[in-house]
């Protein structure tokens, strides 16, 4: 299968500009700088490149939201805040192929007439931030960033900006606020970032992987990229598999790959011959699937039909013998910990869900607790400034709907049927 | 004792300021610098950064207390941050946390009396494929087992 | 001007107006906490959710601009359930402080709970998150972080209105807490507004703490007498005691704000009042009946004028008096006493600080009115000179202080005058130096108009009748004038204002009706 991103991931030197150049790096940038900007955007549209951060919004369409008038400078912000549990792909791109990201930034910025870009990297990725900063310095030295890129007359400044520990900053308006030096509170919309974004300027926020796909699209054309995937979901995507599987890790696969194939072919199936109990397909915020639901392809439409999403491509495998109550409790604690606290339903709701699930997990569940959880979920869903509340609700609802018996038993027996440990 | 940046840190801050149209954007980087310079983000550090950038201490405190990586209290020489999120839990993180807790004689959230270790439970560190994972100060340690952790802790000076 | 449909009612509204504002305009109440007309939109409380056709999710009405043909519903089951749901979540950790909380009776949570809640709590008491209560955070404010609903009005006020940013959110999630940085209390002159804008009892006023339940208070629309800005206020009282001021909205004067000094001005009407006429003879002060006091005063003036001419009489007016009172005082001086010695000064002892917001250096509510009605500082200087030269035999002085003089200076100056009659509200240097004290009704005990620094003529209304034996100044001046042969017949301040506006050019065409609740700018003031 043709790879777009991971072709040279195994080469430890690929992060350095000389090796990157040897493998044909920055040729796409050279080509792009001689193309009309609209044509680059066209190719990205033709590629059916959907955002790889989790929301899956078509990148070419998003780019089109920038105002036509160029009087106000625009900003490109790269979302490298990878924090969705089960997701660990952007880390690979940044650590192994930072120049691929930088080349993507340069091409995208040129296409959108953007002269300033910030790469917002989650604070915990100290090593990755250093690697990207070194790559930025190398790119400046070689004239791939800075003034007059490759003699084109196009200027671009790129700055690495580190976060400091907040999952919510993966939401684009929270990220913008954090970039501006504020608490990571998402913004109410309208206005949208494309009209009022970072520092009040029109801003496009894109995921690392989305931008890293751009050089290949320029080199080989949008249609070719699209053909690697399925209808409306073009290209390949980096799918991470975690949990008790034989070969956990990141795999570059077609956007239309079968979930079953991801788990059993690429990740080698479950360890110790265990049976599959459940799988979360796209990072913890996506509804869980039962073993009889894994014959679905990874694209948004197909997953949507069975009530879930490919999200950020973080496949979390759950084996038989795992307590689903405990698993849900872990997740509810996570969302409560990460809620920014700005709006009422999420702030209070995530805390409440965590408390109820904690009680149930500890054998102090009460009759009516599950109805209460589902009722609280209804009061949170769709009522908030950003989707974090929805992200907490979807696992809560799907776990309880699909494993109801187990939850009931845990409450009735006032103890964990699996001995309170994973 | 009054807090102040070293010359190196001041120069770094100057360089940082030049990358943004608004000095407010230097708040997160400045707090990272402060943590590096002073060991943790103390009250004095908050007041210092506020004065340096022209904001009220309340404003800076609001930012410092929002993000988990800014330590408002001192941490031990080695800050052990063990992920307790879903993939790591599925791969036995809870046992590891219990193990470390017993070994060091402290509950998560606490520091050993000799100030050497602080143990924290943290959320997803973004390395789920190599779970269980911990972050020791700045560095990730992956594919952990009890033995590996013992070896790691025992060789720390 | 888009036209839209809300709850089946068609309405046309100005371009750019949000659904919440539009609804307010036509009398449909949409519940909300974080929205405030003078602060930026926060959109965090989520109480103002409404159904908008073509939108799959409920929308917050505070941040949704009305477009042509929009169809909105605020009264459906979906909306009601949403509001009840949000309210339940908001009340989760709220302490049941009502029995000891000052906000009771004017509390956003109480009000909406009665309207949209009435549910039993499903949250265990032991699960409640506790936060710091009863914190003195400086200025006039006590903070109870546990009661806070995190609407961010206070933070936005301190960012957008005062620019002093003393308060901020700390931590995150349901441990988020509003506070100041330790050791950095509120340090601006507008802290009292924080208690006004806080929808609940998280921020309350120290001065008002535990003093009175709000449902016992009545309110008079009034004007703060603290300086020349003329901030519009509600003067809240019980019986004949004032308990507090709250700002009244007037976008041309004070928007919805009041300064901390003005906020405490109500105390002057309560404390240290002159409540009975006093005559001082041979060093002895005797409480007198009004008749006796007025008779004695009129007699002294008649004797002085007859024996030494009108130049031996003097009148010092006060910029604390209303336009109506000043009109009559000038008539008394010019037409009845016919003296050249009358004037006023806006000087006051003590603080003359001002800022570029509401606080004016002139600490009197009606200096402009005095000017427009013919009183001058030159007149005061002339009168002062005449007094110092021993030429004045009878002086009528209004107000509670004499310029910026100390007690000693006041006493020394007035010792040059054989008869001083003082019309004032509070004890002070003037009342102690006067031979006749004629107690005056406070601004809360009478009606009238003040003219602020910008020439805006604004009405203040009484809350209750004059305390003790105090009288409305209009009555006092008319009595004196008539005992000196004036033959006036005014029936209350409205009739005085009518006469005033008929004869004084700057006030031409004005009436209490035309002044309304927001006032009018006097002619020639621009």
């Amino acid at each position: 299968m043709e790879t777009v991103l991971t072709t040279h991931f195994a080469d430890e030197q690929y992060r350095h500009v000389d090796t990157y150049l040897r493998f044909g790096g920055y040729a796409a940038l050279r080509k792009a700088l001689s193309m009309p900007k609209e044509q680059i955007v066209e190719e990205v549209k033709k590629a059916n490149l959907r955002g790889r951060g989790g929301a899956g919004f078509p990148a070419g369409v998003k780019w089109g939201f920038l105002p036509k008038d160029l009087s106000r400078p625009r900003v490109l912000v790269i979302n490298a805040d990878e924090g969705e549990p089960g997701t660990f792909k952007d880390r690979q791109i940044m650590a192994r192929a930072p120049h691929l990201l930088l080349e993507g930034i340069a091409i995208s910025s040129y296409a959108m007439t953007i002269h300033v870009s910030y790469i917002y990297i989650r604070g915990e990725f100290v090593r990755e931030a250093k690697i990207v900063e070194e790559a930025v310095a190398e790119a400046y030295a070689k004239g791939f960033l800075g003034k007059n890129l490759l003699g084109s007359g196009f200027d671009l400044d790129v700055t690495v900006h580190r976060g400091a520990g907040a999952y919510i900053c993966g939401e684009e308006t929270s990220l913008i606020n954090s970039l501006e030096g504020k608490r990571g509170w998402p913004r109410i919309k309208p206005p949208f970032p494309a009209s009022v974004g970072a520092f009040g300027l029109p801003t496009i926020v894109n995921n690392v992987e989305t931008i890293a796909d751009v050089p290949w699209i320029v080199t080989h054309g949008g249609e070719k990229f699209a053909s690697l995937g399925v209808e409306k979901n073009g290209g390949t995507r980096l799918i991470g598999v975690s949990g008790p599987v034989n070969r956990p890790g990141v795999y570059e696969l077609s956007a239309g790959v079968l979930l079953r194939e991801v788990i059993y072919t690429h990740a080698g199936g479950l360890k110790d011959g265990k049976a599959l109990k459940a799988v979360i397909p796209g990072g913890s915020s996506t509804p869980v699937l039962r073993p009889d639901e894994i014959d679905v392809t990874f694209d948004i439409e197909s997953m949507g039909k069975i009530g879930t999403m490919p999200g950020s491509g973080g496949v979390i495998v759950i084996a038989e013998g795992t307590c689903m109550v405990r698993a849900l409790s872990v997740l509810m604690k996570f969302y409560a910990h990460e809620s920014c606290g700005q709006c009422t339903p999420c702030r209070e709701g995530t805390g409440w869900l965590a408390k109820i699930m904690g009680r149930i997990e500890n054998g102090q569940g009460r009759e009516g607790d599950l109805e209460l959880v589902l009722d609280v979920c209804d009061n949170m869903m769709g009522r908030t400034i950003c989707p974090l509340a929805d992200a907490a609700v979807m696992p809560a609802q799907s776990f309880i709907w699909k494993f109801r018996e187990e939850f009931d038993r845990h409450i009735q027996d006032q103890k964990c049927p699996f001995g309170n440990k994973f | 004792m009054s807090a102040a940046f070293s010359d190196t840190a001041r120069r770094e801050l100057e360089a940082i300021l030049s990358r943004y149209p608004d000095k407010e954007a230097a708040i997160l980087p400045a707090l990272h610098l402060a943590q590096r310079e002073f060991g943790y983000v103390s009250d004095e550090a908050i007041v210092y950064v506020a004065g340096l950038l022209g904001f009220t201490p309340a404003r800076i405190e609001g930012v410092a207390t929002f993000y988990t990586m800014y330590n408002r209290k001192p941490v031990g020489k080695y800050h052990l941050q063990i992920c307790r999120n879903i993939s790591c839990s599925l791969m036995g993180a809870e046992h590891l946390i219990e193990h470390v807790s017993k070994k060091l004689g402290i509950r998560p959230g606490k520091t050993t009396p000799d100030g050497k270790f602080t143990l924290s439970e943290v959320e997803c560190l973004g390395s789920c494929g190599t779970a269980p994972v911990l972050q020791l100060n700045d560095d990730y340690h992956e594919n952990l087992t009890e033995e590996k952790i013992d070896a790691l802790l025992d060789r720390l000076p | 001007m888009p036209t839209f449909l809300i709850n089946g009612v068609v309405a046309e509204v100005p371009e750019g107006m949000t659904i919440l504002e539009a609804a307010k305009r036509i009398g449909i109440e949409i519940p909300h906490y974080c929205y405030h007309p003078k602060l930026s939109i926060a959109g965090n409380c989520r109480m103002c959710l409404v159904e908008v056709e073509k939108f799959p999710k409920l929308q917050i009405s505070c941040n949704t601009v009305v477009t042509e043909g929009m169809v909105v519903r605020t009264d459906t089951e979906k909306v009601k359930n949403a509001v009840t749901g949000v309210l339940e979540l908001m009340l989760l950790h709220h302490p049941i402080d009502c029995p000891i909380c000052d906000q009771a009776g004017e509390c956003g949570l109480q009000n909406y709970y009665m309207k949209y809640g009435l549910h039993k709590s499903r949250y265990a008491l032991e699960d409640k998150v506790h936060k710091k209560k009863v914190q003195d955070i400086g200025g006039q404010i006590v903070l109870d972080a546990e009661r806070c609903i995190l609407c961010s009005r206070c933070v936005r006020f301190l960012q957008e209105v005062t620019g002093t940013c003393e308060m901020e959110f700390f931590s995150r999630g349901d441990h988020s807490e509003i506070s100041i940085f330790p050791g950095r209390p509120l340090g601006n002159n507008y802290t009292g507004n924080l208690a006004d804008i806080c929808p609940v009892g998280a921020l309350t006023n120290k001065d008002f703490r535990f003093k009175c339940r709000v449902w016992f208070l009545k309110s008079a629309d009034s004007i703060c007498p603290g300086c020349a800005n003329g901030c519009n206020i509600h003067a809240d009282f019980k019986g004949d005691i004032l308990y507090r001021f709250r700002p009244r909205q007037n976008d041309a004067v004070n928007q919805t704000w009041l300064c901390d000094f003005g906020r405490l001005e109500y105390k002057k009407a309560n404390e240290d009042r002159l409540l009975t006429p006093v005559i001082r003879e041979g060093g002895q002060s005797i409480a007198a009946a009004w008749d006796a006091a007025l008779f004695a005063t009129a007699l002294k003036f008649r004797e002085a004028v007859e024996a030494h001419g009108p130049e031996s009489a003097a009148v010092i007016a006060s910029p604390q008096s209303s336009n109506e009172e000043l009109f009559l005082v000038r008539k008394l001086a010019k037409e009845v006493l016919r003296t050249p010695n009358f004037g006023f000064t806006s000087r006051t002892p003590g603080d003359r600080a001002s800022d570029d917001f509401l606080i004016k250096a002139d600490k009197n509510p009606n200096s402009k009115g005095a000017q427009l009605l013919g009183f001058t500082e030159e007149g005061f200087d002339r009168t002062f000179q005449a007094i110092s030269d021993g030429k004045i035999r009878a002086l009528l002085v209004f107000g509670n202080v004499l310029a910026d003089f100390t007690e000693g200076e006041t006493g020394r100056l007035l010792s040059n005058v054989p008869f001083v009659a003082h019309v004032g509200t509070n004890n002070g240097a003037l009342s102690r130096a006067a031979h006749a004290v004629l107690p005056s009704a406070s601004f809360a005990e009478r009606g009238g108009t003040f003219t602020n620094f910008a020439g805006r003529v604004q009405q203040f209304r009484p809350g209750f009748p004059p305390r003790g034996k105090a009288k409305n100044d209009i009555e006092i001046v008319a009595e004196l004038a008539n005992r000196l042969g004036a033959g006036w017949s005014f029936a209350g301040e409205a009739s005085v204002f009518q006469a005033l506006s008929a004869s004084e050019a700057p006030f031409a065409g004005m009436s209490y009706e035309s002044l309304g609740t927001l006032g009018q700018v006097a002619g020639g003031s621009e």
Side-chain angles (χ1 to χ4, degrees), chain C residues 442-507:
Chain C
S442 77
F443 67 91
E445 297 157 12
R446 69 195 206 277
T449 57
F450 290 137
T451 312
N452 83 347
F453 78 102
R456 179 168 292 267
V457 180
Q458 306 182 107
Q459 255 200 303
F460 61 94
R461 312 239 183 174
F464 42 89
R467 289 175 60 203
K469 297 217 176 85
K471 270 192 196 290
N472 193 323
D473 278 23
I474 287 172
E475 265 191 74
I476 300 174
V477 176
E479 278 279 340
L480 276 175
N482 287 339
R483 282 163 197 260
L484 292 168
W488 296 350
S489 63
F490 291 106
E493 56 264 18
S495 65
V496 179
F497 191 77
Q498 209 169 22
L500 186 163
S501 92
S503 75
E504 307 303 307
F507 299 85

Side-chain angles (χ1 to χ4, degrees), chain A residues 6 52 82 84-92 209 236-243 245 247-254 257 259 262-263 266-267 279-284 286 298 303 310-317, chain B residues 87 126-130:
Chain A
T6 58
R52 299 287 192 243
E82 185 161 69
E84 180 76 15
T87 316
F88 50 105
K89 59 183 179 71
D90 296 331
R91 185 177 180 226
Q92 313 309 319
E209 186 186 344
T236 61
R237 54 181 310 169
L238 298 183
I239 297 176
V241 187
S242 61
V245 291
R247 291 192 295 273
V250 173
Y251 297 93
E252 182 172 6
L253 301 167
S254 162
V257 69
L259 179 57
V262 173
I263 301 170
H266 299 284
V279 58
I280 300 174
S284 65
T286 56
F298 227 85
M303 289 239 170
S312 56
V315 177
I316 305 168
V317 172
Chain B
S87 300
S127 186
C128 319
T130 55

Side-chain angles (χ1 to χ4, degrees), chain C residues 104 189 207 212 220 287 291 311 360 375 412 430 453 492 519:
Chain C
N189 289 322
D207 180 70
C212 187
D291 206 43
E311 324 74 63
K360 299 292 171 285
F375 291 94
R412 273 192 299 282
L430 278 175
F453 78 102

Side-chain angles (χ1 to χ4, degrees), chain C residues 268 274 316-320 345-350 363-364 380 397-407 410 414 422-432:
Chain C
K268 291 191 184 139
L274 299 167
I316 298 179
S318 167
Q320 303 270 328
T345 176
S346 67
R347 283 146 51 204
T348 46
K363 303 303 175 193
N364 303 291
F380 176 86
V397 56
F398 290 81
N400 293 325
V401 291
L402 193 58
D404 49 2
F405 301 157
T406 61
E407 171 113 26
T410 306
L414 295 184
H422 168 229
V423 179
T425 53
N426 293 71
N427 270 311
L430 278 175
S431 62
R432 284 190 277 275

Side-chain angles (χ1 to χ4, degrees), chain C residues 366-385:
Chain C
N366 204 20
S367 298
K368 186 77 179 183
Q371 277 164 18
L372 292 176
L373 288 164
F375 291 94
T376 58
E377 297 266 353
E378 293 76 44
F380 176 86
D381 293 339
R382 207 178 336 112
T383 307
F384 172 83
Q385 197 56 56

Side-chain angles (χ1 to χ4, degrees), chain A residues 70-393:
Chain A
L70 296 173
S71 58
R72 289 157 67 219
R74 307 104 99 76
V75 183
L76 174 64
V77 178
I78 305 304
N79 188 340
D81 192 62
E82 185 161 69
E84 180 76 15
T87 316
F88 50 105
K89 59 183 179 71
D90 296 331
R91 185 177 180 226
Q92 313 309 319
I93 297 174
M94 289 190 282
R96 297 167 192 274
H99 284 284
L100 193 51
L101 172 61
L102 297 181
E103 189 175 5
I105 291 174
I107 295 171
S108 310
S109 300
Y110 173 71
M112 292 187 269
T113 317
I114 292 176
H115 300 289
V116 169
S117 181
Y118 297 94
I119 305 174
Y120 184 104
I121 303 184
R122 67 176 289 180
E124 296 86 345
F125 281 174
V126 181
R127 174 177 160 264
E128 289 71 23
K130 276 208 187 80
I131 293 173
V132 174
E133 270 170 355
E134 276 164 16
V136 168
E138 286 180 338
Y140 267 94
K142 284 258 192 293
F144 299 123
L145 291 176
K147 300 247 172 290
N148 194 13
L149 262 56
L150 300 180
S152 65
F154 177 70
D155 299 340
L156 174 63
D157 270 321
V158 173
T159 302
V160 171
H161 183 100
R162 287 180 60 220
Y167 162 74
I168 184 58
C169 289
E171 196 275 345
E172 69 177 3
T173 61
S174 163
L175 190 152
I176 290 173
N177 268 341
S178 186
L179 174 67
E180 289 185 5
K182 304 182 164 87
R183 290 163 61 86
W185 275 14
R187 297 178 176 179
I188 50 173
K189 297 162 272 267
F192 290 86
S195 20
V196 181
F199 314 113
L201 303 170
T203 302
I204 295 293
V205 182
N206 271 134
N207 175 261
V208 168
E209 186 186 344
T210 313
I211 295 297
D213 279 331
V214 171
W216 198 97
I217 291 173
V218 165
T219 305
H220 301 276
E223 258 182 60
K224 186 115 194 278
F225 184 85
S227 72
L228 299 177
V230 292
E231 196 190 341
K232 293 202 203 143
N233 290 251
T236 61
R237 54 181 310 169
L238 298 183
I239 297 176
V241 187
S242 61
V245 291
N246 286 309
R247 291 192 295 273
V250 173
Y251 297 93
E252 182 172 6
L253 301 167
S254 162
V257 69
L258 207 62
L259 179 57
R260 178 183 292 281
E261 196 186 306
V262 173
I263 301 170
Y264 287 103
T265 308
H266 299 284
L270 281 79
K271 275 161 88 151
D272 308 324
K274 287 227 164 120
L276 181 69
K277 180 168 186 181
V279 58
I280 300 174
S284 65
S285 309
T286 56
V288 72
L289 295 174
R290 287 183 313 255
D292 62 321
E293 295 178 293
I294 65 173
D295 290 291
V296 61
T297 49
F298 227 85
D299 54 291
I300 289 183
E301 279 68 35
S302 307
M303 289 239 170
K305 286 205 185 86
I306 61 166
T308 189
M309 303 148 234
S312 56
V315 177
I316 305 168
V317 172
I318 298 172
E320 61 174 302
T322 305
C323 176
M324 296 306 283
V325 172
R326 190 163 191 83
L328 184 61
S329 186
V330 165
L331 289 179
M332 293 301 96
K333 270 208 209 111
F334 166 67
Y335 292 105
H337 184 258
E338 300 296 336
S339 170
C340 77
Q342 186 184 188
C343 66
T344 313
C346 175
R347 175 182 69 238
E348 310 298 344
T350 54
W352 201 358
L353 291 178
K355 289 217 166 92
I356 301 172
M357 284 312 308
R359 254 195 310 103
I360 297 176
E361 185 205 343
N362 284 330
Q364 283 145 30
R366 302 195 269 261
E367 193 185 317
D369 266 351
L370 298 178
E371 284 70 25
L372 179 58
V373 166
L374 293 173
D375 198 46
V376 174
C377 286
D378 283 342
N379 277 336
M380 291 166 66
M381 188 84 167
R383 302 252 173 101
T384 50
I385 295 175
C386 88
L388 192 144
D390 304 344
V393 162

